[in-house]
Amino acid sequence: MKSELPFLKLILAGILMLSISCQPKTPEQLAEKDANKFFSNLDDSEKLVAHPMSFQENIPQELATQNKAKSMDKLQGYISEMCPDTKDFTLLKTYRKFGDDNKKLLFLEYEFCSSGILVMSYKVEEEDVTLFSVWPMKKEERPKVLFSEEQAW
């Protein structure tokens, strides 16, 4: 009986850890995890192009992939130009909005190099998020309409 007690404690600890790890994640947590993975690949064009991202449905997949590759190259150049020494990104704020088609969108606003802003835009679908846009800009170019304090959902 005494030898069974440590084994029983181990099983209970495992069940507790499993139940904690299975807690549903918020869209913000999922998007932030995805954004961090994206940022970790900023120096690798192939990995950036391979990063999961939704495409417009009305254009062929091959053309969408070519457009994504060009966009990622431009993004890498922009960030390197603005910030040649470091690639530290700090999450400033998240915004919950509705898109034109009334679907849930999530925008994560990151600061980099103290003068740049990078907005990661996600579609929220049930219990998952999908990156659909990466928008770099200088702080003074930040559109106030998009970044109002009002949360839509």
Side-chain angles (χ1 to χ4, degrees):
M1 181 78 171
K2 277 189 169 184
S3 65
E4 292 177 6
L5 193 58
F7 182 69
L8 184 60
K9 286 182 180 179
L10 181 63
I11 289 175
L12 290 174
I15 291 171
L16 179 64
M17 287 175 46
L18 185 60
S19 68
I20 290 172
S21 68
C22 291
Q23 293 293 324
K25 294 191 174 12
T26 65
E28 288 84 355
Q29 290 170 323
L30 294 170
E32 190 171 353
K33 181 179 178 184
D34 182 77
N36 288 333
K37 185 175 180 183
F38 184 89
F39 296 148
S40 71
N41 293 324
L42 272 175
D43 292 328
D44 189 331
S45 296
E46 287 181 26
K47 286 184 179 179
L48 274 185
V49 172
H51 189 90
M53 196 168 179
S54 69
F55 297 111
Q56 288 181 331
E57 295 174 9
N58 58 351
I59 61 173
Q61 180 73 28
E62 184 179 327
L63 182 58
T65 302
Q66 290 173 0
N67 287 344
K68 182 180 177 186
K70 288 177 187 177
S71 294
M72 293 302 117
D73 282 344
K74 288 179 182 178
L75 176 67
Q76 285 176 309
Y78 182 84
I79 291 173
S80 292
E81 181 182 310
M82 293 249 331
C83 192
D85 299 330
T86 182
K87 293 196 176 42
D88 291 331
F89 293 85
T90 304
L91 180 62
L92 298 177
K93 191 159 178 81
T94 60
Y95 301 88
R96 290 178 169 210
K97 303 290 179 185
F98 283 110
D100 294 335
D101 52 2
N102 226 18
K103 291 190 178 180
K104 292 179 180 178
L105 302 177
L106 185 63
F107 298 94
L108 279 65
E109 180 183 21
Y110 286 89
E111 178 184 57
F112 68 99
C113 295
S114 72
S115 63
I117 298 286
L118 186 72
V119 177
M120 305 289 284
S121 307
Y122 290 88
K123 293 179 183 178
V124 179
E125 300 160 321
E126 294 181 25
E127 295 189 22
D128 200 12
V129 296
T130 306
L131 180 65
F132 73 88
S133 174
V134 181
W135 187 11
M137 67 190 82
K138 295 180 180 169
K139 280 187 178 179
E140 61 271 10
E141 298 171 344
R142 187 177 173 268
K144 295 192 184 333
V145 172
L146 180 62
F147 300 106
S148 68
E149 294 299 315
E150 180 183 322
Q151 299 294 328
W153 52 276

